Amino acid sequence: MSVHTISLLSFIIVISFISKSSANSENSFYYFCDQNNDRGNYTANSNYATNLNNLLSTLTSNTKINYGFYNSSYGQNTDKVNAIGLCRGDIKPEECRGCLDQAKANLTQLCPNRKEAIGWYQDEKCMLRYSDRYIFGHNETGPAYYMWNMNNATNADKFNGVVNNLLDTLRSKAALGDSRRKYGEGNAVVPSNKTVYGVVQCTPDLSEEECDSCLVESIKVLPSCCNDKIGARIVRPSCYLRYETSFLFYDPSAQSPSPSPSLTPSSPKGDAPSPSPSLLPPPAPAPKNNDIPSPLSLPPSSSLTPSSEGVKRTSSTAVTTVPLLLLFGSFLFVSM
């Protein structure tokens, strides 16, 4: 594995690069390591390091959780660590735990000694984040990234209208979800009688209003990043949306989670962990798509944090020349 760091001056640079990646989308991992280091670092063998290790090792230990959402805390005072693990709403519990276990190992290695980090693993089948600050129940729209398919739709105006209507319908469905799952999936027919498939999701610790607000912001951004594209996704800490044309990237047969207790993370006495819920989808065949990742900040209205540190990508199936805008700071590209 090679790591390349590109230092940038305080202006935007437009570049092109050629990327040949593995056809196995299960290996894709996109992550941010608190680029501005606002939360600071921890030292090896410190109480924070011990609490983080204990928290991550027990995060998915509750096998009764079958809805793909885990939220836990470990430790006390300034050494307390908070973590969220979320799997896409169609992922089965065993696969969810496996995805998050891999994410735990990768994220701590790729963001060494950072108190805050977030990553999306296996083509966004699961998300893991942790921090020394309280991260539960807050609508957080950054750091974030988006991806788009290289191909344009025919009859673009009608196509865009169908996609927006589909995502709006799924948005309402997800926002009405409960404290275990806020997830919506569905499809619609676009021009040329093709089917577009869509998924939206929020972390279920959000209120209905917060979930709706997060997804509305993402849908508003689509015209400025991904207009006319036959596939796109916008990925944020608190919500996620994706649509693709002509291939099914989620499992439509996923069952609703069985009733479970409330997911409010407890504040343990002493240094005991307090696990909560999680969910994930069965693996769909790796799609042969041309989705291109962009660690860009979106327009100001999107409220995204301009962060592009640490993007690892191994999901594309073709050699593609990709226009990429890099923002301030250092951009870390990890290639296998």
Side-chain angles (χ1 to χ4, degrees), residues 280-302:
L280 71 106
K288 296 183 181 297
N289 62 66
N290 295 316
D291 281 0
I292 302 303
S294 177
L296 307 181
S297 68
L298 299 182
S301 61
S302 68

Side-chain angles (χ1 to χ4, degrees), residues 13-42:
I13 297 178
V14 182
I15 67 169
S16 292
F17 69 94
I18 295 179
S19 172
K20 183 175 182 179
S21 305
S22 166
N24 181 8
S25 65
E26 301 304 302
N27 293 327
S28 62
F29 192 39
Y30 307 92
Y31 64 96
F32 296 85
C33 301
D34 183 18
Q35 183 179 8
N36 296 323
N37 204 18
D38 296 332
R39 306 309 305 174
N41 295 337
Y42 63 86

Side-chain angles (χ1 to χ4, degrees), residues 77-94:
N77 303 321
T78 57
D79 293 321
K80 187 173 183 178
V81 188
N82 305 292
I84 288 177
L86 177 70
C87 294
R88 204 176 64 212
D90 59 314
I91 303 297
K92 289 183 169 61
E94 296 79 8

Side-chain angles (χ1 to χ4, degrees), residues 6 8 11-15 295-296 308 324-328 331:
I6 302 171
L8 304 178
F11 54 85
I12 297 176
I13 297 178
V14 182
I15 67 169
L296 307 181
S308 59
L324 177 66
L325 290 178
L326 296 182
L327 291 156
F328 320 135
F331 171 69

Side-chain angles (χ1 to χ4, degrees), residues 63-327:
T63 57
K64 293 182 179 180
I65 291 175
N66 65 347
Y67 37 87
F69 176 55
Y70 299 86
N71 57 330
S72 304
S73 300
Y74 200 108
Q76 295 181 345
N77 303 321
T78 57
D79 293 321
K80 187 173 183 178
V81 188
N82 305 292
I84 288 177
L86 177 70
C87 294
R88 204 176 64 212
D90 59 314
I91 303 297
K92 289 183 169 61
E94 296 79 8
E95 187 184 357
C96 177
R97 287 189 287 270
C99 183
L100 288 171
D101 285 343
Q102 293 180 66
K104 287 184 287 186
N106 281 346
L107 194 57
T108 52
Q109 291 179 11
L110 295 170
C111 300
N113 302 111
R114 294 293 185 95
K115 287 189 174 181
E116 180 167 301
I118 184 170
W120 293 264
Y121 199 59
Q122 292 185 8
D123 211 24
E124 293 103 28
K125 285 185 177 179
C126 68
M127 175 195 74
L128 175 68
R129 60 183 302 210
Y130 54 81
S131 179
D132 63 328
R133 64 187 176 88
Y134 194 80
I135 57 175
F136 309 117
H138 298 308
N139 176 15
E140 299 194 9
T141 55
Y145 65 93
Y146 62 86
M147 299 170 65
W148 66 95
N149 193 292
M150 292 289 286
N151 297 317
N152 287 333
T154 57
N155 202 341
D157 289 342
K158 288 187 177 179
F159 176 87
N160 293 333
V162 171
V163 168
N164 284 335
N165 288 338
L166 173 62
L167 294 176
D168 277 334
T169 299
L170 299 180
R171 168 180 59 84
S172 299
K173 179 179 179 181
L176 290 172
D178 59 21
S179 60
R180 293 164 299 160
R181 183 160 64 182
K182 285 183 166 59
Y183 173 79
E185 64 180 43
N187 62 78
V189 177
V190 293
S192 303
N193 291 321
K194 293 183 178 180
T195 300
V196 59
Y197 300 94
V199 159
V200 304
Q201 184 169 16
C202 297
T203 57
D205 56 332
L206 296 186
S207 68
E208 177 183 344
E209 293 76 15
E210 288 170 325
C211 176
D212 187 77
S213 175
C214 188
L215 290 170
V216 164
E217 283 296 311
S218 293
I219 293 172
K220 284 181 179 178
V221 164
L222 283 174
S224 60
C225 77
C226 315
N227 213 33
D228 305 341
K229 301 302 182 182
I230 66 171
R233 68 191 80 175
I234 296 179
V235 185
R236 307 175 187 263
S238 290
C239 67
Y240 161 85
L241 71 78
R242 180 181 178 183
Y243 71 88
E244 300 288 353
T245 306
S246 300
F247 70 87
L248 186 60
F249 62 94
Y250 59 86
D251 180 8
S253 66
Q255 300 294 315
S256 298
S258 58
S260 279
S262 170
L263 308 189
T264 303
S266 60
S267 298
K269 296 181 179 179
D271 287 344
S274 53
S276 260
S278 195
L279 211 187
L280 71 106
K288 296 183 181 297
N289 62 66
N290 295 316
D291 281 0
I292 302 303
S294 177
L296 307 181
S297 68
L298 299 182
S301 61
S302 68
S303 303
L304 293 190
T305 301
S307 175
S308 59
E309 179 179 354
V311 178
K312 174 184 177 184
R313 176 173 179 265
T314 56
S315 61
S316 175
T317 60
V319 178
T320 330
T321 300
V322 186
L324 177 66
L325 290 178
L326 296 182
L327 291 156

